[in-house]
């Protein structure tokens, strides 16, 4: 095409174009007066950054003397692991590792999954190709920094050239960190941990190939560059997040998620629900500051963008449709397959846009559990499953965030089957909150608020303090104050609202 | 999650599940009686492969003695380049190459783009980071095998460790092949070329990083593993297609596509339109045979799948909405940005699902041009732009393919703004064909059939013979006969139908 392009007057035309754009797109985005459908949003953000690009000072971008920390983001980057999806596809993994010329594979799992069909398939597949591998099956659920350090120490002497994670999010996240620190032997553990708790160093080396085989339909960790763990000393959830941490390939085999008890299906699915809702409603990428001075500093959690929107909204619709079916009927293979697909799609969505309040608030909720033991979880000690702790605040959270973008919240309510034709934009939050509360109630065995988890007003201050360190996700929360005391008040009100819904 | 999973009776439950699924999902997919929305389609394919997985013989997959060539596909793989999108983002590319530790970069472009702002930005960005690079600007539009071989010979002595393509599809495809054969110095050129013309050897080595910066909103080549060229000896379009050929990163900068003349915008956009329509209507991945015996043999063009569907349908809607605006108003920056995004989304869609008849038939149309020179193309010699040759058969093609999946074709018609509420499924093809013909007419300067390109009935046999070698895309065409003579007849009728619409 280009060879027949008109070259003359290029510069002049460009300037005209940009000047026109500047005046035809007012900063207050007109699209927010349309139903908040992601096409409109695409228009929204594209117009907005077209307009921003029109400002000469910013057109010069990195070349400009202007302080980038003063500039808002002007670009987004979409990165995802390759995803292979199919029933029985686990059996291909030996050939994949051979195709990658892997000689020594570290297989990461936990003691329960190690006994399941998924690991049997994996062992057979690797043996069939004559691949040398060692299995680490001591991964902890909700891993702590020290359990991850043990895993890292375990792997060092084996020095693998590829990793294979088989399990839920805890397993996949642990494998990511084993791979990371195995490739940075000299690094301090806190170097890559998210700021403010860690140094948030970017990953600038090529890690070894990592293949992830999820056995739950929840975290979407098989597609993301995020690894979450508890920093015991700080009693806070944190992690490492960089797109170079993402697996090479996610192998999604619906036959591997059949063994989840329905209580686990429900809480994993609620994690998917919040991944999609939070990434769909996160601040737009081009409202985020600062503009990175180097693309490697552009966070994976960059705010909602036109591509993450497509994934988030599709995952939301699929979850609303298939989660209740997969929880109620353990033999509904279609619903289970769809939930695994939804978990992965939501993973691509939030992996590139981020999550915000539900996840930020969930960490202290799970961590400061007053003694609640969730029904259907056959464990001795108290447990608030991650998905439960995330979903319990959802009605209050989206009632709060709706004002930032009523049309997106109306679109979300519509995904729950609400007829929004005559709903006022001011009611978007209320309508979505009701739809969420009803969805949770209909799903069954879900707490109708923090009270049912054993929390009272006396716990709220500590819950707020446990949320504050989640800066990385809180900065994506629309409408949350930048000033610390104001932010504390807002979080306090959100936790109070969440006592009962 | 996994640690509290119920282990007992696993096997027994699995068997029950699978048996149930087998009987609850009849092979004739119930979803095709619903409006062909991609959610329904997801349900459709997931059910179908759940059902297929339920057959014990196939459950054993590779372990089974059964001949895989007898088996249909049971999985799909979604792979795409990372995509960075933003106005002015070209200026980041020097830092990207430095972050990749690139020491010697081969910059591939053509003589026209070499004079444009995009290349100025690139030179500045690389110089700013002190990166050593050489520019190859001799890329030909619609490259031939010999022009690509010249490019490959040119690059050998420089032996770069990274590639950067700046231009349209011809440039990006040439850069992909320079990278490929530079990493396989001993390989014969035909080794990797698509069968039946070439040997279709899979790419089993890690190629050097390739960053692609598109300057047209059309091919989507910045996200795909496909490189197309003319095989002069055979007078046929062919290419290399493997997901390992895909760029590392596509940098989509709307400021780089402003310089397209509106005629180029139109034909590039029609390519996007057909990419999305063809991938949306291609046979489902799980109807494709044979099932690959090794995942590296799974084609990039694997048929429609639940993830490609999301991209294809979104790209179709965006193209219908923004292409006319971007063609009519050269200063409509929003429409131009949206078309660049749509081109990339469509690239991810067809890059993982494939294209079929419009593209298969377009190659002889462009190649056997009787002397047509498209309006707005400032060239001396006759030219049928790729997008024009693809779109000219679209009404006939989708009238023909509609019977294979009326609901998908109705959904496509709906994307063109047709109210399908009372349209009979038998009329899906007619309705979509009309919508397409009207869209082309409204766009302006588009031929209303092959006659206006100078083709007559006397040319049809040669056009058919020129289409037959496009086996890789024809195999994805729904409703096309497997038997050669029957296929010839169908193609003949399609070309006849396309003389006038």
């Amino acid at each position: 095409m280009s060879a027949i392009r008109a070259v003359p007057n290029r510069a002049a035309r460009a300037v005209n174009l940009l000047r026109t754009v500047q005046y035809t797109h007012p900063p207050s985005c007109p699209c927010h007066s349309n139903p908040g459908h992601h096409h409109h949003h695409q228009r929204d953000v594209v117009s907005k950054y077209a307009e921003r690009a029109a400002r000469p000072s910013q057109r010069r971008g990195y070349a400009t003397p202007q302080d980038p920390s003063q500039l808002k983001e002007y670009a987004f980057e979409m990165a995802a692991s390759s995803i292979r999806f199919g029933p029985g596809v686990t059996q291909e993994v030996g050939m994949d590792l051979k195709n990658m010329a892997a000689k020594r594979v570290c297989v990461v799992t936990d003691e329960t999954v190690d006994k399941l069909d998924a690991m049997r398939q994996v062992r057979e597949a690797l043996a069939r190709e004559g691949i040398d591998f060692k299995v680490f099956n001591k991964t902890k659920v909700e891993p702590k920094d020290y359990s991850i350090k043990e895993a890292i120490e375990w792997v060092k002497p084996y020095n693998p050239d590829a990793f294979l994670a088989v399990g839920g999010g805890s397993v996949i996240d642990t494998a990511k960190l084993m791979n990371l620190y195995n490739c940075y032997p000299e690094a301090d553990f806190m170097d890559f941990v998210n700021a403010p708790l860690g140094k948030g160093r970017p990953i600038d080396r090529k890690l070894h190939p990592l293949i992830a085989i999820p056995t739950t339909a929840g975290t979407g960790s098989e597609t993301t560059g995020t690894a979450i763990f508890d920093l015991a000393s700080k009693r806070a959830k944190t992690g490492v997040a960089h797109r170079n941490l993402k697996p090479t390939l996610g192998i999604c085999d619906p036959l591997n998620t059949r063994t989840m008890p329905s209580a686990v299906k429900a809480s994993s699915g609620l994690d998917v629900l919040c991944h999609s809702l939070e990434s769909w409603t996160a601040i737009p990428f081009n409202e985020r500051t600062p503009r990175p001075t180097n693309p490697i500093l552009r966070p994976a959690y960059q705010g909602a963008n036109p591509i993450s929107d497509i994934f988030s909204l599709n995952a939301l619709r699929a979850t609303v449709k298939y989660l209740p079916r997969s929880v109620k009927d353990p033999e509904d293979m279609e619903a289970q397959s769809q939930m695994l697909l939804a978990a992965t799609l939501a993973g691509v969505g939030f992996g590139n846009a981020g999550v915000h309040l539900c996840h930020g608030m969930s960490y202290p909720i799970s961590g400061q559990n007053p003694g609640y033991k969730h029904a259907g979880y056959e464990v001795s000690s108290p447990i608030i499953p991650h998905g439960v702790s995330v979903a319990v605040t959802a009605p209050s959270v989206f009632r709060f965030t709706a004002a930032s973008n009523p049309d997106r919240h109306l679109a979300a309510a519509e995904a729950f089957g609400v007829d929004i034709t005559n709903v006022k934009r001011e009611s978007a939050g209320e309508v979505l909150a009701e739809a969420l509360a009803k969805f949770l109630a209909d799903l069954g065995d879900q707490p109708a608020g923090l009270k049912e988890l054993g929390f009272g007003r006396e716990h709220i201050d500590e819950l707020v303090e446990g949320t504050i360190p989640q800066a990385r996700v809180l900065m994506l929360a629309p409408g949350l104050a930048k000033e610390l005391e104001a932010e504390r008040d807002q979080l306090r009100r959100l936790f109070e609202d969440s006592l009962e819904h």
Side-chain angles (χ1 to χ4, degrees), chain A:
Chain A
M1 290 300 132
S2 44
I4 37 62
R5 168 174 314 194
V7 177
N9 316 330
R10 219 170 50 246
R13 262 182 78 217
V15 173
N16 288 337
L17 269 179
L18 294 171
R19 206 174 280 122
T20 314
V21 172
Q22 185 161 19
Y23 297 118
T24 49
H25 296 290
S28 69
C29 175
C31 316
H32 284 176
S33 56
N34 305 339
H37 184 281
H38 62 264
H39 289 287
H40 294 102
H41 177 70
Q42 285 187 16
R43 175 155 164 245
D44 161 358
V45 289
V46 175
S47 319
K48 275 176 141 175
Y49 56 71
E51 168 215 343
R52 180 159 306 118
R55 302 197 195 110
S57 70
Q58 298 189 17
R59 172 68 183 94
R60 286 199 305 279
Y62 296 107
T64 155
Q66 216 173 322
D67 171 8
S69 69
Q70 299 300 312
L71 294 179
K72 288 181 174 178
E73 178 63 278
Y74 75 120
F76 63 92
E77 181 162 338
M78 152 82 195
S81 310
S82 292
I83 299 162
R84 190 182 304 147
F85 191 101
V89 75
T90 306
Q91 65 205 342
E92 297 185 5
V93 72
M95 289 182 278
D96 287 310
L97 289 161
K98 194 168 196 175
N99 294 339
M100 294 170 178
K103 300 260 166 301
R104 303 159 60 74
V105 178
C106 173
V107 180
V108 183
T109 186
D110 64 40
E111 285 172 333
T112 311
V113 175
D114 200 9
K115 303 193 196 81
L116 297 178
D117 189 56
M119 272 300 292
R120 192 177 58 71
Q121 294 279 339
V122 163
R123 283 193 165 87
E124 285 177 12
L126 270 60
R128 212 180 296 129
E129 303 300 322
I131 290 172
D132 178 86
F133 66 97
K134 264 190 155 185
V135 176
F136 176 81
N137 70 358
K138 298 272 176 281
T139 306
K140 299 279 172 296
V141 181
E142 309 287 317
K144 313 274 175 286
D145 50 350
Y146 51 80
S147 64
I148 285 164
K149 285 175 185 161
E150 285 165 20
I152 293 166
E153 286 313 308
W154 181 92
V155 77
K156 275 184 179 157
Y158 183 54
N159 188 30
D161 55 12
F163 288 80
L164 171 58
V166 186
S170 304
V171 165
I172 299 172
D173 289 1
T174 302
K176 288 174 180 173
L177 296 171
M178 290 167 83
N179 188 10
L180 172 65
Y181 289 96
N182 192 58
C183 293
Y184 284 91
E186 77 293 355
D188 177 81
F189 185 74
M190 295 306 286
D191 285 355
F192 294 96
V193 173
N194 299 318
L197 294 171
K199 295 204 194 78
R201 173 179 170 186
I203 298 171
D204 53 8
R205 292 182 197 163
K206 184 119 193 65
L207 306 184
H208 288 309
L210 163 62
I211 297 179
I213 302 181
T215 56
T216 61
T219 67
S221 181
E222 65 278 8
T223 77
T224 72
T226 306
I228 301 294
F229 58 83
D230 292 313
L231 191 61
S233 57
K234 294 276 193 301
R235 296 195 61 213
K237 275 268 192 218
T238 181
V240 176
H242 193 278
R243 56 180 62 82
N244 293 349
L245 192 62
K246 70 182 194 298
T248 319
L249 172 67
I251 294 183
C252 301
D253 183 343
L255 300 181
N256 292 340
T257 56
R258 287 166 302 161
T259 44
M260 285 190 288
S262 69
V264 176
K265 287 204 183 96
S267 48
S268 309
L270 291 176
D271 196 18
V272 179
L273 187 78
C274 291
H275 285 156
S276 47
L277 274 170
E278 288 173 74
S279 50
W280 170 245
T281 56
I283 65 165
F285 72 95
N286 56 346
E287 290 299 322
R288 199 189 74 245
T289 51
R291 175 183 298 195
T293 52
N294 183 310
I296 204 171
L297 299 175
R298 183 165 283 125
Y301 284 12
Q302 55 198 316
N305 62 72
I307 299 184
S308 65
D309 286 347
I310 295 173
F311 283 90
S312 303
L313 198 56
N314 274 278
L316 174 61
R317 290 177 179 143
T319 304
V320 169
K321 181 173 180 183
Y322 293 105
L323 179 57
R325 279 175 51 183
S326 74
V327 169
K328 282 175 182 46
D329 178 3
E331 306 204 330
D332 187 338
M333 191 69 185
E334 181 202 351
Q336 291 180 64
S337 296
Q338 284 288 8
M339 277 312 299
L340 180 57
L341 185 61
T344 300
L345 296 180
V348 179
F350 87 84
N352 289 280
V355 286
H356 54 80
L357 286 162
C358 295
H359 272 75
M361 294 165 70
S362 76
Y363 300 133
I365 291 172
S366 287
Q368 299 169 22
N369 181 1
Y372 174 84
K373 194 154 151 310
H374 192 63
Y377 275 61
E378 297 134 16
V379 281
S380 47
S381 50
I383 180 167
I384 304 175
H386 174 65
V388 173
S389 66
V390 163
V392 69
T393 60
S396 320
V397 162
F398 296 105
R399 190 184 291 112
F400 168 79
T401 56
S404 68
N405 189 334
D407 303 308
R408 290 200 154 227
H409 289 70
L410 284 176
E414 194 171 29
F416 282 91
V418 177
D419 174 4
I420 61 163
T421 31
N422 300 318
V423 178
K424 289 205 184 58
R425 298 173 71 250
E426 311 81 80
S427 319
E430 203 43 58
V431 167
L432 179 55
E434 279 167 22
L436 270 162
K438 183 177 185 311
F439 184 84
L440 292 170
D442 294 350
L443 196 61
D445 294 329
Q446 297 306 315
L450 290 169
K451 268 194 181 160
E452 292 188 16
L453 300 179
F455 289 101
R457 299 193 173 280
E458 67 279 15
H459 298 103
I460 288 181
D461 285 342
E462 200 183 351
L463 288 170
V464 169
E465 292 316 305
T467 307
I468 296 291
Q470 305 303 324
R472 189 178 57 99
V473 293
L474 295 185
M475 74 169 201
L476 297 172
L480 198 64
K482 298 265 167 290
E483 191 276 312
L484 189 57
E485 263 323 301
E487 182 182 358
R488 278 206 174 88
D489 290 341
Q490 289 175 314
L491 290 172
R492 198 173 290 115
R493 277 199 299 280
L494 281 168
F495 278 114
E496 283 169 3
D497 266 9
S498 304
L499 286 170
E500 294 172 274
H501 52 66

